[in-house]
Amino acid sequence: MFTALAGGTLRHLAKRCTLNPEKKRVAMTGGTATICLSDLQCREDGRQGVMLSIYGNSSGRFCDGLSRRNFLKIGGLGMGGLALPELLKASANSGGGKREKSIIMIYLPGGPPHQDMYDLKMDAPREIRGEFKPIPTSVPGVQISEMLPKIARQMHRSTAIRSVVGARDEHSNHICFTGHPLGAQRPPGGWPTFGAVISKTQGAKNPAMPPFVGLENKMKHRPYNAATPGFCGVAHKSFRPEGDGKADMTLKGIDLERLKDRMGLLKSFDQFRRDVDAEGLMDGMDAFNQQAFGILTSSRLAEALDYSKEDPRTIEMYGKGDKAIRGDAAPRILEQFLVARRLVEAGVRVVTVAFSFWDWHGNNYGNARKDMPMFDQGVSALIQDLHDRGLNKDVAVCVWGEFGRTPKINKNGGRDHWPRVSCALLAGGGMKHGQVIGATDRLGGEATERPVHFMEVLATLYHHVGIDVAAATLPDLSGRPQFITDGHSPIHELI
């Protein structure tokens, strides 16, 4: 949320804070920057709010004359024009209470090959069973792909679902994030993401942290970004440190790795807070503006995003990712799995991550040999790390894509789209793990035992955070109540 708060090219921020009563502005100036807090700043819609800006003085211009390229402005947050106080007010109005449960969802854009991961078909013809061999796991009698040896050692802490159904032939994150196909009939406002539902019903767990964070980049194939907060409203959209919120929340051209000397900046903010309080400006804000100001000058989110503070052995366990975009989808940033754990540990309710590109219409096995070892390391490290830190009951992990792949290998050595059945991996959440749920036929083309709908998986995640899906409804934009899982129940084998 505040990448810039983690950093320190502004390490010589001002030592004093003064109030300009005419402009209703508190300014703290120093050798390299000016911080301004504009009280009751007017917006286009006529409402008022508080805007915090950090200005660089290198251009020779001051405050309102600076271009966006030279300053950090916090207030809009890249969330449909809503100011942070409005987001906090929406969260508070939702009536959320304290809880200790969180969710990490890892989305695999493009649709991973279930026959090459958790559901190998060794009795099928060669053009179906493929090149990979099964290996034993930590659960007696359960085998998965040889490409996932580290996950195999964590199977007693996880569950493979081999019979996920309910998809359509649509390349989109919509089915994974909402439980509804992208092309399905929608209520007024549209179906909300599961993170938006949790944000609306439960609010923020920690006042210094957003309830819902999306670490995924904005993907080139637009439907991979299709899921929205729907009728929950934009106040419950995920905060995107590397997405929509970045433009207003970071110094242009400076990423997290380049922001050093964090404590110098944070100490300057501490002094700024004290001076603002001394001037009495905080008394003029409503409670939500004060809370917003508290978040903006808090180091909690910045600290969570900065994984360099981890034990080097933990960083090594997760491995080094690759920031290059795969296909038209996502990079393979293993560090985001670690950041996700840090975020939920710091108080975020829901974190989503997108990993790589799985639409392998050609060279299925070559792509698998490139991507699966990294995937195996990141997911297994997350499961192990949650267990080691005592979070395995509080944090549920879900890993899946929008559909499966064809049983038969095509002429290009790839597998094509197969929405009839796909797979998922669940871990943590205090669930009954160490099992496989469901089965497919001998070719891996149809669910023959215990079909599990996408919405059943989401219902299980809702149950984990304490939402009664049998009773919980939210109004769409017409005011009509909508059941959040469309009548689907949690997976009884897991709870």
Side-chain angles (χ1 to χ4, degrees), residues 258-275:
R258 292 179 57 196
L259 291 173
K260 305 299 182 183
D261 193 16
R262 299 169 181 84
M263 293 308 297
L265 180 59
L266 295 176
K267 287 178 181 178
S268 297
F269 270 113
D270 289 339
Q271 181 63 45
F272 183 43
R273 288 165 59 95
R274 287 193 293 271
D275 290 342

Side-chain angles (χ1 to χ4, degrees), residues 33-62:
T34 298
I35 293 180
C36 294
L37 176 68
S38 302
D39 185 24
L40 303 178
Q41 185 175 59
C42 291
R43 296 155 47 96
E44 292 181 4
D45 56 11
R47 287 175 289 176
Q48 296 175 323
V50 172
M51 187 72 72
L52 176 67
S53 300
I54 303 176
Y55 299 95
N57 290 336
S58 59
S59 67
R61 289 178 288 160
F62 300 95

Side-chain angles (χ1 to χ4, degrees), residues 433-447:
H433 292 303
Q435 61 174 316
V436 169
I437 296 176
T440 58
D441 60 23
R442 64 182 292 267
L443 303 182
E446 303 287 345

Side-chain angles (χ1 to χ4, degrees), residues 330-373:
R332 299 173 294 178
I333 305 179
L334 296 176
E335 294 86 349
Q336 286 187 337
F337 295 179
L338 174 54
V339 171
R341 190 230 72 202
R342 289 176 60 84
L343 286 169
V344 296
E345 194 171 36
V348 175
R349 293 189 185 278
V350 175
V351 180
T352 55
V353 179
F355 184 82
S356 196
F357 172 70
W358 300 79
D359 193 25
W360 301 338
H361 290 281
N363 194 24
N364 179 78
Y365 302 109
N367 283 310
R369 289 187 173 93
K370 291 178 181 179
D371 280 15
M372 285 193 188

Side-chain angles (χ1 to χ4, degrees), residues 222-243:
R222 293 183 180 180
Y224 289 148
N225 315 294
T228 73
F231 56 67
C232 285
V234 294
H236 300 287
K237 181 180 179 181
S238 66
F239 177 74
R240 305 277 291 276
E242 296 299 322

Side-chain angles (χ1 to χ4, degrees), residues 111-127:
H114 54 284
Q115 307 94 333
D116 300 311
M117 299 178 77
Y118 315 116
D119 193 16
L120 281 71
K121 299 297 181 181
M122 300 312 296
D123 295 331
R126 178 179 176 80
E127 64 270 19

